[in-house]
Amino acid sequence: MSALILAQAQAIVAGALADARAQGLKPLSVIVLDGGGHPIAFAREDGASFARLDIARAKAAGALAMDADTSVLAERAKGNPVFFQSVSVVLEGRIAFSPGGMLVKSEGQIVGAVGISGDTGENDEAAARAGIAAAGL
């Protein structure tokens, strides 16, 4: 498969939110971007602040831009802050160095990314992982 389709993106969102509710996480915002960074599906749970969707999008976009999950980028940024500050400027702030942005792959190829915000970065990432798994990717 060369592209992420709407049904898969919706399955990622639904799977992530179902996992979050099962784990008792705070209200989340979830967004799925295609490989070109365009939104396919998104949701903001009741109680999630208005900025959460923008943060989730920055996580997903940052993962796509740098070909790495944001948990990896956060670790890399610790050792090279000047470079990553420059990346943030180049991307006009559309990158977040916190776990919760994950690449979506199919047959080893990057087809998109999911970004989640609302709980701790680690919990956001766990929900993203669950969503990706729920979509069979």
Side-chain angles (χ1 to χ4, degrees), residues 83-108:
F83 172 74
F84 282 95
Q85 181 180 10
S86 299
V87 169
S88 183
V89 170
V90 168
L91 295 177
E92 298 176 341
R94 292 181 309 243
I95 188 167
F97 299 106
S98 176
M102 297 189 70
L103 297 172
V104 177
K105 296 181 181 182
S106 177
E107 300 173 7

Side-chain angles (χ1 to χ4, degrees), residues 32-120:
V32 180
L33 306 179
D34 67 15
H38 304 99
I40 302 174
F42 54 89
R44 185 187 61 81
E45 287 187 300
D46 296 341
S49 72
F50 76 93
R52 292 296 178 183
L53 187 58
D54 294 328
I55 296 166
R57 187 170 186 172
K59 289 181 180 185
L64 277 175
M66 298 299 291
D67 291 331
D69 296 342
T70 54
S71 59
V72 172
L73 297 177
E75 285 302 312
R76 289 180 186 167
K78 289 178 186 176
N80 198 352
V82 173
F83 172 74
F84 282 95
Q85 181 180 10
S86 299
V87 169
S88 183
V89 170
V90 168
L91 295 177
E92 298 176 341
R94 292 181 309 243
I95 188 167
F97 299 106
S98 176
M102 297 189 70
L103 297 172
V104 177
K105 296 181 181 182
S106 177
E107 300 173 7
Q109 299 296 317
I110 297 169
V111 294
V114 58
I116 298 183
S117 180
D119 206 280
T120 66

